Amino acid sequence: QPYVLPSVVQAEQNVIQKKLNKEYAPIGGEGDFCKEAAKLAFGADSSVIADSRYVTVQGISGTGSLRIGAELISKHWPLNKTIYLPKPSWGNHTPIFKFAGFNVGAYTYYDPSTCGLNFAGAMEDIKNIPEGSVILLHACAHNPTGVDPIPEQWKEMSALIKQKNLLPYFDMAYQGFASGDVDKDAFALRYFISEGHNVLLAQSFAKNMGLYGERVGAFTVVCADKDEAARVESQIKILIRPMYSNPPRHGARVATEVMTNPELRAQWMKDVKFMADRIISMRTQLRDGLAKNGSSRDWKHITDQIGMFAFTGMTPAQVEQITKDYSVYLTKDGRISIAGITSGNVGHLAEAMHAVTK
Amino acid sequence: MLSTARSSLQRNAANLSAASARNSSWWSGVEMGPPDAILGVTEAFKRDSNPKKMNLGVGAYRDDNGQPFVLPSVRKAETLIMDRALNKEYAPIGGEGDFCKESAKLAFGSDSEVVRDGRNVTIQGISGTGSLRVGGAYLQKWFPGSKVVYLPKPSWGNHTPIMKHSGLEVGAYRYYDAATCGLDFAGAMEDIGNIPEGSIIMLHACAHNPTGVDPTPEQWKEMSAVIKAKKLLPFFDMAYQGFASGDVDRDAFAVRQFLADGHNILLSQSYSKNMGLYGERTGAFTVVCADKEEAARVESQIKIIVRPLYSNPPRHGARIVTEILANPEIHAEWLVDVKTMADRIITMRDKLQAGLAREGSSRNWQHITDQIGMFCFTGMTPDQVAKITKEFSVYLTKDGRISVAGISSSNVDYLAHAMHAVTK
């Protein structure tokens, strides 16, 4: 069933009880929301925040935040107007940048032979990206593969990206939802910051706060200093105004309440860990179930991968068969949403997957 | 060709090495953008310590105590919705079907043939701005005619950037007559008559922003005929339905007349003012099509535009709107609420005009009560505006536009006094 987090339910009740008015939010959203979103991403003790050398605006969830960034770089990026996406990436990334008038390229990422990361291939492709380009990085829980670099790999990527003078654009849609720990999931982002990258960041609260339809997100530019941040902010507002004027309040108020109310924040940490743990448990049960069914294939990737999705490695033909014979519905690239698995149906799924892949 | 490529490469190389040299300052070339004109008014107002100060720049309704107003029907609907403990799943790309259907019925009339025949594509948009933007993007991609939108002179300041950012050109037709503070109908008709065939014309359905000057029904009919003759595509911006006259059907007259005359219009609706839902960002965008089949094709293309813009629209405000429109009891209460707001505005107009007469002004202030909706183009010059701000702490935009919503019974006489002082 769809799940509204207990911390969010309570936060919403608190917000409603305050009987706030429905006046327009500022163009970039409420200051409190933006500050809290930045603190969540970078860590409350981040030097970026201490030096105020960032601009964060509320965006319409992840998509809207990505689009603001796309419009910003389309208009103001002084170097190579191409963004390089991992292969594969979320399907909507390409249209977001193209509609904004930015070119789209790609770098090797997923290795279908291992259902894991093709790290050598990625590094090779990144080495060949023209200097001064933009590179999109999934901060955690890569969508659609569930394959993330390990910390050591992130460090190597950071060094190479720095050397190539590329602008890192992080898409963080699953902070907390991936490992269950908001700080752990922000490792890559925070490492890049500590290495001196001035990144772009799109955050979504759709999954980690279950605020999906309320469209809560944030877009951040890390700048050289406070003055630059002010200039960049003024230009971002000029882009937002003719798009939708100012962002929706309700979800942002709820998110702010969750992040600033100590009791609710603590509860939220538990809620998000609960969701992540359930996902991880389903991965384990599915893998165990496949073994129990006698599968001789290596299904390690099911538990190696992280987040909402798993690239099973099933071929289009196998996908068609599992749908036809077992009424299991998934995309033809073999991607399953782990969130759709329950303890009640994981056995059936293991059976079905074994049947079409043995 | 080669030399252009070479110099372009040289430029890029120079940029690259410069950028490399100051790796942390990719955004060094980004200039500070111009401050928002209207925001500037509010900022200055906040800084003023005069207890009699008035903020007439704000484009949001205020009650008679000068406070933001959440409509009772809205609170009621919101409570009902909260009690249902609905989930927060994504809305469909085009918004909830019920919301879209109710919005179309509100605009076109519940007995509308267009709605009955399924000839409309209506999607939820991010209030008026977002709905206009989706419309602009749709026109840029699919309009087979001339990709120029003709706006009335003047129009809402954000219309031009919205259309330009969508990739359309912007033109203008005469509208406001500064000499009468009314409609320059002859000028409008002449300019519309000269718009190249197959262009797009933007029309404020009611309560023209910023002037408050609307055509009469007879004038609308004449405009409809000329627009038809010139094969122009009418794009209606209806941000004040109900809020203008107090009557939702009356305020939709122009939209419905054009439909009756056979125009297949575009329409942007906003619930910011008439339901006070400002910050919840609730609106709708409609394309009226030839038939149901065309509507389905158009809808599919609109969704392709929405998906990379923001994926799907915010739910909360839309749920409130749907509850209000679909629940007969609350719908009736809403109509009373919206009339209350419109009546208060009209009352303030009456009082301001009467106050100016009482002050002994010899000027013709008829336009204050002739104009309709949130705003009034007073006719004050920039100098007079500067003076009224400096000497009386009355804040408004330098085009002489006041937000009547910012006037209350406790300060209307002060305003009349101030306006007379600077214009006598």
Side-chain angles (χ1 to χ4, degrees):
Chain A
Q1 288 305 310
Y3 180 64
V4 185
L5 284 63
S7 51
V8 171
V9 171
Q10 186 60 56
E12 190 170 45
Q13 280 169 15
N14 291 357
V15 166
I16 295 287
Q17 258 155 44
K18 283 185 197 156
K19 289 203 180 312
L20 301 166
N21 65 46
K22 295 187 177 302
E23 294 298 288
Y24 291 127
I27 296 173
E30 280 298 347
D32 283 346
F33 170 79
C34 298
K35 199 166 60 163
E36 288 299 322
K39 278 163 62 185
L40 178 67
F42 301 121
D45 55 352
S46 165
S47 67
V48 164
I49 301 199
D51 300 342
S52 295
R53 58 179 189 92
Y54 71 101
V55 44
T56 297
V57 296
Q58 181 186 344
I60 301 182
S61 206
T63 304
S65 303
L66 284 161
R67 181 63 178 259
I68 293 170
E71 297 285 340
L72 178 71
I73 55 181
S74 186
K75 197 169 176 193
H76 294 283
W77 181 241
L79 305 175
N80 186 27
K81 290 192 165 166
T82 303
I83 186 166
Y84 288 79
L85 311 179
K87 250 189 301 195
S89 196
W90 180 43
N92 208 15
H93 277 145
T94 295
I96 288 170
F97 290 101
K98 283 196 157 165
F99 272 77
F102 214 71
N103 298 311
V104 173
Y107 57 94
T108 298
Y109 189 80
Y110 180 69
D111 186 347
S113 62
T114 61
C115 296
L117 177 63
N118 180 349
F119 185 61
M123 291 296 276
E124 176 73 27
D125 280 2
I126 292 174
K127 204 175 297 175
N128 289 326
I129 292 177
E131 279 206 24
S133 306
V134 184
I135 182 168
L136 188 99
L137 304 159
H138 295 225
C140 60
H142 180 272
N143 179 359
T145 68
V147 169
D148 285 351
I150 58 176
E152 290 61 47
Q153 291 170 330
W154 275 121
K155 289 177 182 178
E156 287 190 52
M157 286 166 75
S158 167
L160 178 57
I161 286 167
K162 196 133 198 255
Q163 193 196 319
K164 298 287 304 182
N165 201 30
L166 307 179
L167 170 64
Y169 192 162
F170 275 97
D171 181 355
M172 186 154 73
Y174 299 98
Q175 187 186 7
F177 191 90
S179 71
D181 180 329
V182 295
D183 297 311
K184 194 164 164 195
D185 288 347
F187 168 81
L189 172 71
R190 295 178 190 181
Y191 180 78
F192 270 59
I193 296 290
S194 69
E195 290 295 295
H197 296 270
N198 283 354
V199 310
L200 301 184
L201 169 68
Q203 280 169 281
S204 169
F205 290 91
K207 285 87 175 173
N208 63 7
M209 283 196 189
L211 286 172
Y212 302 94
E214 303 291 357
R215 318 309 291 130
V216 186
F219 170 67
T220 296
V221 183
V222 177
C223 298
D225 52 46
K226 202 171 172 176
D227 172 75
E228 183 170 277
R231 287 184 282 111
V232 171
E233 180 175 27
S234 72
Q235 293 299 335
I236 290 174
K237 286 178 178 174
I238 286 171
L239 293 167
I240 290 176
R241 182 75 166 121
M243 265 204 270
Y244 55 84
S245 283
N246 47 80
R249 298 208 85 157
H250 186 70
R253 279 172 162 165
V254 174
T256 307
E257 177 68 14
V258 170
M259 290 189 282
T260 56
N261 177 323
E263 224 176 88
L264 288 179
R265 193 183 175 109
Q267 180 61 42
W268 175 54
M269 293 294 167
K270 288 201 198 120
D271 292 345
V272 89
K273 186 169 192 321
F274 175 77
M275 290 193 294
D277 284 350
R278 196 188 86 70
I279 299 277
I280 291 164
S281 165
M282 287 303 108
R283 289 179 177 275
T284 306
Q285 287 188 45
L286 177 58
R287 190 179 158 194
D288 289 349
L290 282 155
K292 259 203 302 283
N293 270 280
S295 179
S296 55
R297 282 177 64 148
D298 181 1
W299 294 104
K300 188 163 178 292
H301 54 279
I302 290 183
T303 45
D304 281 350
Q305 291 168 8
I306 192 168
M308 177 102 68
F309 300 112
F311 250 32
T312 56
M314 283 190 276
T315 64
Q318 291 165 341
V319 169
E320 207 181 306
Q321 198 188 342
I322 205 176
T323 304
K324 183 158 166 282
D325 294 348
Y326 294 90
S327 296
V328 174
Y329 291 83
L330 64 153
T331 44
K332 61 182 201 281
D333 54 6
R335 181 193 83 162
I336 56 173
S337 167
I338 305 284
I341 308 175
T342 67
S343 33
N345 63 26
V346 65
H348 173 75
L349 178 59
E351 208 182 291
M353 280 175 68
H354 173 59
V356 306
T357 59
K358 63 183 176 198
Chain B
M1 187 62 168
L2 258 177
S3 61
T4 341
R6 193 183 301 126
S7 58
S8 159
L9 274 171
Q10 280 168 346
R11 249 196 334 274
N12 281 347
N15 279 343
L16 282 172
S17 61
S20 301
R22 37 153 226 270
N23 191 13
S24 57
S25 304
W26 282 313
W27 310 109
S28 304
V30 173
E31 290 174 11
M32 182 63 88
D36 188 275
I38 295 176
L39 214 65
V41 169
T42 299
E43 305 281 279
F45 167 81
K46 282 187 189 154
R47 283 195 299 269
D48 192 326
S49 53
N50 184 345
K52 286 183 176 247
K53 64 181 180 177
M54 292 177 70
N55 185 357
L56 301 180
V58 67
Y61 179 80
R62 295 285 176 264
D63 64 16
D64 202 49
N65 294 313
Q67 292 305 305
F69 180 62
V70 180
L71 281 61
S73 50
V74 169
R75 280 272 185 246
K76 202 164 180 180
E78 193 171 49
T79 305
L80 278 173
I81 288 163
M82 288 295 120
D83 286 345
R84 277 185 210 139
L86 299 166
N87 66 46
K88 294 189 173 304
E89 295 298 286
Y90 292 127
I93 296 174
E96 281 297 347
D98 284 346
F99 169 84
C100 299
K101 198 164 57 146
E102 290 297 331
S103 293
K105 278 164 61 186
L106 177 66
F108 302 136
S110 42
D111 55 349
S112 160
E113 186 188 290
V114 163
V115 175
R116 209 182 51 224
D117 296 344
R119 292 205 283 130
N120 62 302
V121 180
T122 300
I123 60 148
Q124 180 186 343
I126 302 181
S127 205
T129 305
S131 302
L132 287 161
R133 179 60 179 260
V134 170
Y138 172 74
L139 289 168
Q140 198 284 327
K141 198 166 175 195
W142 294 100
F143 187 58
S146 170
K147 291 184 185 176
V148 187
V149 181
Y150 287 79
L151 308 176
K153 248 188 303 194
S155 196
W156 180 43
N158 207 15
H159 275 146
T160 295
I162 291 170
M163 294 304 146
K164 285 195 155 166
H165 279 246
S166 301
L168 299 167
E169 293 296 317
V170 168
Y173 58 95
R174 268 172 291 167
Y175 191 80
Y176 180 69
D177 186 347
T180 61
C181 295
L183 177 62
D184 177 4
F185 185 61
M189 289 297 275
E190 187 180 335
D191 282 1
I192 293 173
N194 287 327
I195 292 176
E197 275 204 20
S199 307
I200 305 152
I201 182 168
M202 176 136 294
L203 304 158
H204 296 225
C206 60
H208 180 272
N209 179 1
T211 67
V213 169
D214 285 352
T216 63
E218 290 63 44
Q219 290 171 330
W220 274 121
K221 288 176 181 171
E222 285 191 54
M223 287 166 73
S224 169
V226 136
I227 287 167
K228 199 133 195 251
K230 298 289 302 185
K231 297 189 172 57
L232 307 179
L233 172 61
F235 192 163
F236 274 99
D237 181 353
M238 186 152 71
Y240 299 98
Q241 187 185 7
F243 190 90
S245 70
D247 180 329
V248 296
D249 297 311
R250 193 162 153 196
D251 288 345
F253 169 81
V255 167
R256 297 177 189 180
Q257 180 66 44
F258 271 59
L259 284 183
D261 291 344
H263 297 272
N264 283 353
I265 66 172
L266 263 57
L267 170 69
S268 161
Q269 283 169 275
S270 170
Y271 291 99
S272 288
K273 285 86 178 176
N274 62 6
M275 286 197 187
L277 287 173
Y278 304 96
E280 303 291 357
R281 316 312 291 130
T282 312
F285 170 64
T286 294
V287 180
V288 176
C289 300
D291 51 44
K292 208 165 170 175
E293 187 269 336
E294 181 170 277
R297 285 185 283 112
V298 169
E299 182 175 26
S300 71
Q301 292 302 336
I302 291 173
K303 285 180 178 174
I304 286 172
I305 289 168
V306 168
R307 180 80 168 121
L309 207 46
Y310 55 84
S311 279
N312 47 77
R315 302 210 80 158
H316 189 71
R319 280 173 163 164
I320 294 173
V321 170
T322 308
E323 184 65 30
I324 289 175
L325 293 177
N327 179 326
E329 206 183 292
I330 306 190
H331 191 135
E333 286 182 33
W334 171 60
L335 291 176
V336 170
D337 287 345
V338 88
K339 187 168 192 320
T340 302
M341 291 192 291
D343 285 349
R344 196 185 88 68
I345 300 277
I346 290 165
T347 303
M348 289 303 108
R349 289 179 180 274
D350 288 340
K351 286 191 160 170
L352 179 59
Q353 189 180 352
L356 282 156
R358 252 200 330 272
E359 289 281 330
S361 178
S362 54
R363 283 177 62 147
N364 180 356
W365 294 103
Q366 181 65 27
H367 54 279
I368 291 182
T369 45
D370 282 349
Q371 290 169 9
I372 192 168
M374 181 94 73
F375 300 111
C376 166
F377 249 32
T378 56
M380 283 191 276
T381 64
D383 282 346
Q384 291 166 339
V385 170
K387 196 169 178 202
I388 206 176
T389 301
K390 185 156 170 284
E391 293 180 16
F392 295 94
S393 295
V394 174
Y395 290 82
L396 63 154
T397 44
K398 61 183 200 282
D399 54 8
R401 181 195 86 162
I402 57 172
S403 169
V404 183
I407 309 173
S408 66
S409 30
S410 60
N411 62 25
V412 62
D413 290 340
Y414 176 76
L415 178 60
H417 177 75
M419 280 175 68
H420 174 59
V422 306
T423 59
K424 62 185 177 195

